[in-house]
Amino acid sequence: MDISKLIYYLHYFGHLHNFLRPFSCILTNKSENEATFFQKRALSAVKTDIIIIKQTYYGVLNMKNYPSQYIHTDLAAEGSSLPDGSGKGTDYSEEDFGFFTVARLHIKNDEGAEQIGKPIGRYVTVAFPDREDLSPDDCEKLTLAVSHEIERLARDMCPKGIDSVLVAGLGNRNITSDSLGPLCTDSVNVTRHLRDKDGNSIFPAVSAIAPGVLAQTGIETLELIRGAAENCRPSLVIVIDALAARSVDRLARTVQLSDTGISPGSGIGNHRKKISSETIGCPVMAVGVPTVVDSATLVLDALERAGISEYPEALIPILEQGSEFFVTLKDSDAAVDELSRMLFDALNLFFFEIGNNSHKS
């Protein structure tokens, strides 16, 4: 098979500039029907056993004809069916601020949860271009916007006020794409020990914890955060974690906030005990940035964007293999470092704002 023709084909349908790392899609020639399946879509005859495809993805996908067990995402914005506005089970709105957008989704009942594929609650999605393409002023505006959305959601979650906050940075700091949470907690302005001394700080009593992962500690993340919360008695727990996306267009270009809590590792199929208001005993806000895409989802994404609405049975074993692999950005170290800086700056601004308002009142 002429690989250049395949690359041209995918470029035409999927905007094949801004390459990511290649992933492998193994296509066997066990039957003539399998070859015909791809021939019908102008991919020419399949003469090879391995095809290397590089591509970048844009927008929200609709993979209704594909097996759902291979489509993984933590983002409500990539839900199975986003509404155009308010409906029976959801409220949805979107604001355009020029170089970034803010989408707000409220899933109000079980009907909305089934429609979107996410739990009942509020979700805020801030989407933006690559930060390296933004000017310093734009980066500052973006940080302020994220801080504002954190404050807005926090006040809805804590109508009686916010006197203390526990920040928990989830993830393994030794794995670049999973180190977002610990990097954030490293630079959060902790003030609980100062409040204990004089009680006059303009900040709320902020404490931070990076509980690591189960394989490092032998203790469930939930148990460590719940223990810290029992001692700190925070008004609000903010949990920061790296997420999985369905489209690589979302990687390092999206911040999601939600009041539904979080299940560590759920995006990569490693479900741990959920961290939520029910399990912690106080409101829990989840803050996340997608840093990985499941490779099986990536393959289905490629087929969807190429206009292929059906899939051969021979693809199932490949998807099974692909579910064990995850793709991240080639410069994920720089991206995670920049995003963690934006998030801890946004959090510190939020702490100052609520502390300053409390001090004035």
Side-chain angles (χ1 to χ4, degrees):
M1 176 182 180
D2 187 348
I3 298 297
S4 63
K5 290 182 179 179
L6 175 64
I7 296 298
Y8 175 82
Y9 176 83
L10 288 176
H11 184 281
Y12 180 80
F13 283 97
H15 306 286
L16 188 64
H17 58 279
N18 190 19
F19 288 166
L20 291 182
R21 289 182 178 180
F23 63 89
S24 298
C25 178
I26 304 173
L27 305 175
T28 61
N29 290 312
K30 292 182 179 179
S31 71
E32 183 178 348
N33 289 337
E34 293 170 23
T36 303
F37 171 81
F38 289 95
Q39 287 171 339
K40 286 181 180 179
R41 288 151 182 84
L43 291 182
S44 74
V46 178
K47 301 294 185 182
T48 183
D49 288 335
I50 300 179
I51 297 174
I52 305 298
I53 304 172
K54 295 178 179 180
Q55 71 173 6
T56 298
Y57 308 88
Y58 297 83
V60 178
L61 306 179
N62 182 10
M63 298 182 178
K64 291 182 179 179
N65 295 326
Y66 295 131
S68 60
Q69 66 267 33
Y70 303 115
I71 302 170
H72 301 130
T73 180
D74 289 317
L75 301 177
E78 294 182 321
S80 55
S81 180
L82 279 179
D84 294 330
S86 297
K88 291 183 179 179
T90 59
D91 285 328
Y92 180 79
S93 64
E94 187 172 318
E95 290 186 76
D96 189 338
F97 293 91
F99 68 92
F100 68 94
T101 60
V102 178
R104 300 183 183 89
L105 172 66
H106 183 195
I107 301 176
K108 299 183 289 185
N109 52 36
D110 291 337
E111 182 180 349
E114 183 176 356
Q115 176 188 355
I116 303 299
K118 295 296 177 185
I120 295 171
R122 294 180 179 87
Y123 300 83
V124 180
T125 304
V126 183
F128 46 89
D130 284 331
R131 284 177 57 82
E132 64 182 16
D133 297 332
L134 300 178
S135 68
D137 286 345
D138 286 343
C139 289
E140 183 177 346
K141 291 176 182 177
L142 183 60
T143 300
L144 288 170
V146 172
S147 181
H148 172 73
E149 295 302 327
I150 291 173
E151 180 182 357
R152 179 174 177 169
L153 183 59
R155 292 192 185 281
D156 286 342
M157 296 172 66
C158 306
K160 294 183 179 180
I162 303 170
D163 183 63
S164 61
V165 180
L166 171 63
V167 180
L170 308 189
N172 187 340
R173 68 168 65 244
N174 297 319
I175 299 176
T176 303
S177 59
D178 196 33
S179 62
L180 179 74
L183 289 177
C184 285
T185 55
D186 286 347
S187 298
V188 163
N189 290 332
V190 291
T191 57
R192 180 172 177 265
H193 57 303
L194 301 177
R195 284 283 294 270
D196 287 345
K197 289 181 179 179
D198 56 36
N200 294 319
S201 173
I202 63 172
F203 288 94
V206 178
S207 48
I209 180 175
V213 294
L214 182 64
Q216 294 173 321
T217 64
I219 307 172
E220 284 282 356
T221 302
L222 168 63
E223 296 170 352
L224 290 170
I225 296 176
R226 185 164 55 197
E230 287 174 355
N231 284 279
C232 297
R233 300 187 181 279
S235 308
L236 174 69
V237 172
I238 298 178
V239 180
I240 306 169
D241 199 10
L243 306 178
R246 184 158 76 178
S247 167
V248 296
D249 182 49
R250 294 281 184 180
L251 295 184
R253 300 178 188 172
T254 300
V255 174
Q256 176 175 274
L257 316 175
S258 74
D259 63 0
T260 60
I262 193 169
S263 297
S266 60
I268 61 172
N270 183 26
H271 295 269
R272 310 309 314 164
K273 293 181 179 179
K274 187 172 183 178
I275 302 164
S276 66
S277 58
E278 290 79 14
T279 57
I280 297 297
C282 68
V284 175
M285 180 192 300
V287 178
V289 174
T291 58
V292 297
V293 177
D294 180 292
S295 58
T297 303
L298 204 59
V299 171
L300 294 179
D301 189 349
L303 295 178
E304 174 75 13
R305 295 190 180 281
I308 301 172
S309 59
E310 300 174 355
Y311 62 94
E313 291 299 320
L315 189 61
I316 297 298
I318 299 166
L319 296 177
E320 289 286 351
Q321 280 187 320
S323 64
E324 298 297 321
F325 299 92
F326 293 85
V327 177
T328 190
L329 297 170
K330 64 181 179 181
D331 58 346
S332 61
D333 51 348
V336 170
D337 183 66
E338 291 173 2
L339 288 164
S340 66
R341 189 178 300 114
M342 179 186 70
L343 286 182
F344 69 65
D345 280 345
L347 286 170
N348 289 333
L349 287 169
F350 160 63
F351 298 145
F352 177 80
E353 189 64 29
I354 61 174
N356 193 38
N357 290 342
S358 175
H359 189 68
K360 287 179 181 179
S361 60

